[in-house]
Amino acid sequence: MSTAAAQGIEGPLVVSRNKVMDMLGIKDSRGINRLVKEGKLNAARIGGRYWKINVASIVAYANGETMGA
């Protein structure tokens, strides 16, 4: 998968779970958790409590692309 800059993404490289919910139109945070668990979104847990999700993986998911192994 290409980098965020190559995809023309400006702004932060990672966003909160709530921001992803807004971006993808998902109303339940469990949906985001499922996408992370299935490996469809790249995410890191910060401080053991908060998720930060990679914006490039959100764009790839929204475009129907699969994450590279």
Side-chain angles (χ1 to χ4, degrees):
M1 182 164 79
S2 59
T3 66
Q7 292 179 355
I9 299 170
E10 294 184 19
L13 297 178
V14 294
V15 293
S16 69
R17 184 172 56 182
N18 288 339
K19 180 66 175 172
V20 178
M21 290 170 58
D22 290 339
M23 292 170 75
L24 297 178
I26 297 174
K27 299 196 184 311
D28 189 348
S29 63
R30 291 177 290 188
I32 302 301
N33 294 346
R34 180 180 48 80
L35 292 172
V36 170
K37 185 176 181 180
E38 293 173 354
K40 294 180 181 178
L41 296 178
N42 287 339
R45 192 165 273 209
I46 307 298
R49 182 173 179 181
Y50 300 102
W51 284 103
K52 293 296 182 181
I53 296 101
N54 179 282
V55 173
S57 72
I58 299 165
V59 171
Y61 175 77
N63 290 331
E65 300 171 13
T66 58
M67 298 302 298

